[in-house]
Amino acid sequence: MKKFRKVLDGLTTSSPGGTIGSPSCGSAAGTPTSAPTPKDIDIQETLVAENFQLCKTVRHGFPYQPTALAFDPVQKILAIGSRTGGVRILGRPGVDCYCQHESGAAVLQLQFLINEGALVSACADDTLHLWNLRQRRPAVLHSLKFNRERITFCHLPFQSKWLYVGTERGNTHIVNIESFVLSGYVIMWNKAIELSTKTHPGPVVHLSDSPKDEGKLLIGFESGTIVQWDLRGKKADFRIYYDEAIHSVSWHHEGKQFMCSHSDGSLTLWNLRNTTKPFQVTFPHGKIQKDGRKESCKPILKVEYKTSRNSEPFVVFSGGLSYDKAGRRPTLTIMHGKAITVLEMDYPIVEFMVLCDTPYNNEVQEPYAVVVLLEKDLIVVDLTQSNFPVFENPYPMDVHESPVTCTAYFADCPPDIIPILYSIGAKHKKTGYSQKEWPISGGTWTLGSHTYPEIIITGHADGSIKFWDASAITLQMLYKLKTSKVFEKPKPGEGRAADLVEEDPFAVQMVSWCPQSRIFCVVGISAHIILYRFSKYDANTQIVSLDVRLQCESDDVITPSENENNPCFPEPGSHSPQPHHQYPASPSSGTPEGNKDSIPCLKVKDRVVRVPPGYQAELVIQLLWVDGEPPQQITTLDINSAYGLLAFGNCSGLVVVDYLQKTILLCMSTLDLYGAADPYQRLTRSPRRNRQSTSELCMRGLSNFYSDSKKRIRTSYQSLTELSDNQQSIDMERSKSPTSDHVNGHCTSPTSQPSAGKPRVPMGPEGPRLTRRGPGRPPFRKAQSAACMEISLPVSHTEESRENSFSRSRSSSVSSIDRDTKEAITTLQFGESYGRKTDALPTPCLWVGTSLGVVVVIPMSVPTEQEERMEEPVTIGPSGVVLLLKGSVLRFGFLDCMGVLIQSPHEVWRDLNAPEDPDRPRRRKLINFSPSSSQDTCGEGHLAVVCSERQAKVLLMPSQSCLFVHNITESSFVLRADVVSVCNSVCLACFCANGHIMTLSLPSLRPLVNVNYLPLTDMRIARTFCFTNGGQALYLSSPTEIQRITYSQEMCDNLQEMLGELFTPIETPEAQNRGFLKGFFGGNAHTFDREELFGEAAAGKASRSLAQHIPGQGGVEGMKVAASGVVGDLARARVALDERGQRLGELEDRTALMMTSAETFSKHAHELMLKCKDKKWYQF
């Protein structure tokens, strides 16, 4: 104890006057240095580099831009391919696997090897891949790259090892699935059609074997030509030439007729007895016009013809509607007998598939459901009920119901919070679903031993909030909250509404949640904050509204012509105005709405409202318009339930609100916080020349995602996902303004400084255009949501190009500050700390970080007794600058002198709407984690961890001595940082703009891991990336999907146990007994030997130049991933033993059957011999 206090005394004397500008706080990039402190402060750090490993865990949500669909009817698992080369494999809830083709080429088609634990994918780069699904993380076993022909269609018959591949040239090749090499057997297009035909039949659009005879292959060409090819005789049995283009073909199970869908909206039924003309032609949606002609219809893109024992056949198709009505929604039509049911879909249909009981195509199909893959949803329709209800989807496919604008991730939550949220949310679930179980029920999944309560919160563009149960790497929605219900609906054309956001005024910027007290805060795009309390009871309440007038003085602002870079950087988690928009007219304009002053952006409901159980709004805080200018968006927020205080800031200043007394305690500009202790000398400014442009002066750095006035957050979400694949380059001269760098395709540091003397390039009314686009991505005509915005950060190889890519960082010198006058509040943190160096005991404090790297500690006096707290005022006294860092301050964290993370004080939850109990009055119960409470043996004080976008420092409080410094990066900047607990210790986790994820030990800031995880970072990831405890993190990998990752070695080791099994050993259903007559007269379908025809001995080798075989990593690397030690080896051995035992059992059964037959035959032969032994030859 005495020894430690002497150490503290030595620290305070060694670095008087704090750390600002002290030489002890500088270091070269990437090397931690420490202040001249004695080595007696020795916190045992347990984390080492071996504790960390980065890997993806699971992906949630709807597959972005889906392209293909496949289903295994025996294993009952579903696969979805996407335009970016991803494959999602789904089974029962918990069985959800994501695979990615290395090429990133779009998936054209998927084919399961039914009940074999394998999947074939055909991609747009004309490559076939064979995936091994018998491991928890599937891997590619083989690939086959076609060099001279483009793949258009694939077909794999059930229980066959030969895959038919149709090409754009009209040829059909055959691939051996086991070796993944081409057979020498090829069906050339000119052999398939008649020699007299003068035109090319077009690409192959359909391949299928006849249910009646597997030796007959039906080939459909795009032009309308259909050929049945005799594989044995190598000739065409018949050829059909139809005038309309073919889109799909479907067989009747008896193999005597098939149905085609065409481009004119017709369905044709063909009978094999007469192929000269169709047996039946129908236009399901084509009405007869007055002149007697059929009205023109859209193409029927796919048809499936399925039979049923006890009812009429089902004909299911997509498209075919007439052209007469514009704007009609996409439809799926189900024809059952004479009944026609049209199901309207919310989004275009990508693919559908009818699910049947049997995998055999020559048996009665008995369809029971239809899986419909839409552009933004997955629907399963129940065919067993006459009204065709849909199944309730157990997967979280509606993450993107409204575009995601922010995320938050909470691990190790209180265990009671998930059941309570689920019980409240369950009351608002939709009804009318099918009562049957979800049909995609394959795979196995068990709750792992390494699970704890986890919650993910997503904020959306329509103002809704969704709480998700993310425990055990699953995702299930618990509760949905609509923040828009707090406000009156803005009427279009009204004065206030016309100048503001017309479409998404309630969009969520950020959230702050205290799971212990269940207090929840939402920050919205319209500069508003809503505070919610949780209650299990409904209530009648009137929402209290506080209006705050927060604006910089005119002396603190300069005009755009005087400055290019305005350092008002919101924390990554907020929004900033965009440069290309119109602001309300200035007061001199003379318009009636010109002089807006002291009005909020939205109108809060001023009447008593009935609120249901769950989160109930208690307080709304809104920033006001000032002198005709809209309020700047809120950049950071923190709430503390123990103190009853809420703090937020923006480019203009800081506000502290007492939400218990519903009063504003503090509202001042950032400069006023410093008082006489301003670390910068700011030059005097000339008066502004243009009042209208002042609101543009907030620096647009990385958080520059939403427009601040009209159409502030509106996304081009719908158009984004309805685009073609055409890539068009748009040439433009790159704007030199840092405020538009995110639009030009380069992400600059929030503290970037352009070279002096370059004027801002003016932009037209349409705004800037992109230099480079992704597939089918249009230029931004509107601001986009976090889900849609996408830019790339170039990874530079030279120091000069790095500087050009990310711009130059502002130094801490006075010269660069001369051009930086507006200073944003970028992070806030309540906690027990020391406001002044002379403080002996910790008091409630508010730590404030700014965009100029300044840290200020504000001590407060908060009454502790409940009665005093509701009556006595809270006093606040700023105490001056504590610290200066490079770049914007991003995060604070507090450790005690033993290196243990100090949690913020909080209030224990109490339901204010619960009935009063006279015996047990409700009183506030506070949990206070004071730094001194657990340090009786190791002295007073605590450690403060401060991280900016360039640098991290550890301070000793109250002396404010800098113990450790680490320059995190010089060439990039930190987007997101957090102090997290990993492996029973703590570390500082950082995510940089160049895609690096790194961890630093605490308190020494020793680098532990630095992984280049994402070589190109886009704005969506930057906006939604967040760390949490337990070594986990997440981000929005696409507009519709959440990707969870882990950087903990322990979780990587346990991941195999947590993932679901895709393949389970199931006995293949036996084929139905066809009967003697059917077998005798029905052809020789079961005697067809493909090996004899397609094998190398009979067909020879294919040309080597036609396709190239590429061995995959699934055989070696995949097994290593699946194994992860002895457990995987044992599991694999067990599966192999099961299969071997199953085969041995079948062999034993067959042997026993043969022995029985032999004994019976011997017995009958012996009896016959005895009977005929004594007969003469003439007696026979």
Side-chain angles (χ1 to χ4, degrees), residues 204 278 325 330 374 405 458 620 821 833 848 937:
V204 175
K325 292 183 181 177
L374 308 177
T405 53
T458 55
V620 176
T821 48
S833 187
V848 182
T937 59

mmCIF file of all heavy atoms in Angstrom, residues 204 278 325 330 374 405 458 620 821 833 848 937:
data_model
loop_
_atom_site.group_PDB
_atom_site.id
_atom_site.type_symbol
_atom_site.label_atom_id
_atom_site.label_comp_id
_atom_site.label_asym_id
_atom_site.label_seq_id
_atom_site.Cartn_x
_atom_site.Cartn_y
_atom_site.Cartn_z
ATOM 1 N N VAL A 204 -28.785 -24.402 -74.920
ATOM 2 C CA VAL A 204 -29.569 -25.428 -74.233
ATOM 3 C C VAL A 204 -30.197 -24.801 -72.988
ATOM 4 O O VAL A 204 -29.502 -24.239 -72.137
ATOM 5 C CB VAL A 204 -28.670 -26.622 -73.824
ATOM 6 C CG1 VAL A 204 -29.466 -27.628 -73.006
ATOM 7 C CG2 VAL A 204 -28.090 -27.288 -75.054
ATOM 8 N N PRO A 278 -48.685 -29.841 -80.493
ATOM 9 C CA PRO A 278 -48.955 -29.993 -79.053
ATOM 10 C C PRO A 278 -50.331 -30.581 -78.809
ATOM 11 O O PRO A 278 -51.293 -30.298 -79.533
ATOM 12 C CB PRO A 278 -48.845 -28.567 -78.508
ATOM 13 C CG PRO A 278 -48.986 -27.676 -79.684
ATOM 14 C CD PRO A 278 -48.490 -28.436 -80.871
ATOM 15 N N LYS A 325 -52.068 -4.329 -67.810
ATOM 16 C CA LYS A 325 -52.031 -3.514 -66.587
ATOM 17 C C LYS A 325 -50.586 -3.245 -66.188
ATOM 18 O O LYS A 325 -49.817 -4.176 -65.969
ATOM 19 C CB LYS A 325 -52.763 -4.223 -65.444
ATOM 20 C CG LYS A 325 -54.264 -4.338 -65.667
ATOM 21 C CD LYS A 325 -54.932 -4.984 -64.479
ATOM 22 C CE LYS A 325 -56.443 -5.124 -64.714
ATOM 23 N NZ LYS A 325 -57.110 -5.832 -63.592
ATOM 24 N N PRO A 330 -45.444 -9.209 -59.218
ATOM 25 C CA PRO A 330 -45.089 -10.546 -59.709
ATOM 26 C C PRO A 330 -45.997 -11.602 -59.091
ATOM 27 O O PRO A 330 -46.432 -11.473 -57.938
ATOM 28 C CB PRO A 330 -43.635 -10.716 -59.238
ATOM 29 C CG PRO A 330 -43.147 -9.336 -58.946
ATOM 30 C CD PRO A 330 -44.330 -8.549 -58.526
ATOM 31 N N LEU A 374 -37.650 -15.058 -53.831
ATOM 32 C CA LEU A 374 -37.872 -13.718 -54.372
ATOM 33 C C LEU A 374 -36.565 -12.921 -54.294
ATOM 34 O O LEU A 374 -35.578 -13.370 -53.706
ATOM 35 C CB LEU A 374 -38.966 -13.001 -53.578
ATOM 36 C CG LEU A 374 -40.285 -13.755 -53.412
ATOM 37 C CD1 LEU A 374 -41.245 -12.946 -52.546
ATOM 38 C CD2 LEU A 374 -40.912 -14.040 -54.761
ATOM 39 N N THR A 405 -29.707 0.981 -40.752
ATOM 40 C CA THR A 405 -28.915 2.203 -40.670
ATOM 41 C C THR A 405 -27.930 2.194 -39.514
ATOM 42 O O THR A 405 -26.999 2.983 -39.500
ATOM 43 C CB THR A 405 -29.834 3.431 -40.525
ATOM 44 O OG1 THR A 405 -30.725 3.221 -39.421
ATOM 45 C CG2 THR A 405 -30.651 3.634 -41.790
ATOM 46 N N THR A 458 -30.796 -3.699 -34.270
ATOM 47 C CA THR A 458 -30.654 -3.023 -35.562
ATOM 48 C C THR A 458 -31.621 -1.850 -35.621
ATOM 49 O O THR A 458 -32.783 -1.964 -35.242
ATOM 50 C CB THR A 458 -30.937 -3.983 -36.734
ATOM 51 O OG1 THR A 458 -32.228 -4.583 -36.565
ATOM 52 C CG2 THR A 458 -29.898 -5.094 -36.795
ATOM 53 N N VAL A 620 -38.719 12.983 -25.083
ATOM 54 C CA VAL A 620 -38.201 13.275 -26.420
ATOM 55 C C VAL A 620 -37.432 14.584 -26.350
ATOM 56 O O VAL A 620 -37.938 15.588 -25.835
ATOM 57 C CB VAL A 620 -39.336 13.378 -27.466
ATOM 58 C CG1 VAL A 620 -38.767 13.777 -28.823
ATOM 59 C CG2 VAL A 620 -40.089 12.071 -27.574
ATOM 60 N N THR A 821 -12.085 25.357 -37.106
ATOM 61 C CA THR A 821 -12.732 26.119 -36.047
ATOM 62 C C THR A 821 -13.878 25.384 -35.404
ATOM 63 O O THR A 821 -14.009 25.398 -34.200
ATOM 64 C CB THR A 821 -13.245 27.454 -36.609
ATOM 65 O OG1 THR A 821 -13.956 27.167 -37.804
ATOM 66 C CG2 THR A 821 -12.097 28.390 -36.887
ATOM 67 N N SER A 833 -14.998 8.858 -11.667
ATOM 68 C CA SER A 833 -13.630 9.214 -11.985
ATOM 69 C C SER A 833 -13.221 10.432 -11.168
ATOM 70 O O SER A 833 -13.904 10.810 -10.206
ATOM 71 C CB SER A 833 -13.495 9.480 -13.497
ATOM 72 O OG SER A 833 -12.157 9.675 -13.851
ATOM 73 N N VAL A 848 -15.430 13.670 -22.085
ATOM 74 C CA VAL A 848 -15.821 14.229 -23.375
ATOM 75 C C VAL A 848 -14.635 14.154 -24.318
ATOM 76 O O VAL A 848 -13.529 14.583 -23.972
ATOM 77 C CB VAL A 848 -16.289 15.695 -23.232
ATOM 78 C CG1 VAL A 848 -16.744 16.253 -24.578
ATOM 79 C CG2 VAL A 848 -17.393 15.804 -22.199
ATOM 80 N N THR A 937 -6.560 -2.535 -1.140
ATOM 81 C CA THR A 937 -5.222 -3.107 -0.971
ATOM 82 C C THR A 937 -4.220 -2.548 -1.965
ATOM 83 O O THR A 937 -3.032 -2.791 -1.841
ATOM 84 C CB THR A 937 -5.289 -4.636 -1.157
ATOM 85 O OG1 THR A 937 -5.803 -4.916 -2.450
ATOM 86 C CG2 THR A 937 -6.177 -5.249 -0.103
#
